[in-house]
Each structure stands twice: as C-alpha cells, then as structure tokens.
Amino acid sequence: MKKILLLCGAGISTSMLLSKLEEAGAALGKSEYEFEATTIEQADKYVPEADVVLVAPQIKFQIGSLQRKYPDAKFSAMDMHMFGMIDGEAIIELAERTIEGM
C-alpha cells in the first residue's frame, strides 16, 4: 500500500480533495493507494509515514524547508489547475511520477 499525503495550510481544501482522490483511485483501479490529508502544522505526524507528499499550491513555497526537515520524503507541488479543479486523476498521476522519481 502506497500512502499519498496531501499537505495544505488550513486543511479545508484538501479534505474536499481527499474524497475526489478516493473516487478517482477507485475509478482507475488504483487500490494500492491510501490517501490522507493534513495541515502543515501536523506534518511531523504524517510526513515520515508517507510515500509521497503533495503540497497545495498556496504553501508550495515551503517545499524547500520541508525537504530539509524530511530528507527521505518525496515532495511535489500540485499546480493551481489540478488543485482548483479538484482533478483527482491528475493528482494521482503527479503522485505516481513523484514516487517514480519524475
């Protein structure tokens, strides 16, 4: 099971995105993924257990500091389009590319 973590500022938008990701994962037959969403304040609790961390566009400027704090984690920033459109398929594709090392 691969854990995909969505990281955002307040957690409101990622919680909506979480349900769309679960729907997209089921539609694509991606049963190997587990999705979680949390805020940047809760990163210590969730990032070490994640296979990939997808960062919301509004906090993508923090990826550098997150990578320094969690050097073994894989991070990518979601772009505004996929995030704003709640495009579960595009976000899953981004997670897969990130896990594979882009």
Side-chain angles (χ1 to χ4, degrees):
M1 185 72 70
K2 300 274 186 192
K3 190 175 287 190
I4 299 172
L5 178 65
L6 307 175
L7 196 60
C8 118
I12 296 166
S13 49
T14 51
S15 63
M16 290 187 303
L17 185 55
L18 189 60
S19 64
K20 287 291 187 180
L21 275 175
E22 290 168 347
E23 289 174 17
L28 294 169
K30 303 286 184 174
S31 59
E32 71 271 22
Y33 296 126
E34 177 183 346
F35 304 100
E36 286 188 315
T38 193
T39 64
I40 195 157
E41 288 82 21
Q42 296 292 315
D44 287 341
K45 182 177 176 182
Y46 293 94
V47 169
E49 303 299 319
D51 292 289
V52 63
V53 181
L54 301 179
V55 178
Q58 64 269 32
I59 62 166
K60 71 179 181 182
F61 67 93
Q62 295 192 22
I63 287 182
S65 62
L66 288 165
Q67 287 175 324
R68 286 187 295 279
K69 188 170 185 177
Y70 310 101
D72 296 329
K74 294 182 178 186
F75 293 93
S76 277
M78 292 178 271
D79 68 40
M80 287 297 291
H81 180 29
M82 69 174 63
F83 189 78
M85 297 300 293
I86 312 176
D87 188 343
E89 289 185 28
I91 294 168
I92 289 171
E93 289 173 13
L94 174 63
E96 291 175 332
R97 287 193 314 270
T98 305
I99 289 169
E100 293 169 5
M102 298 183 126

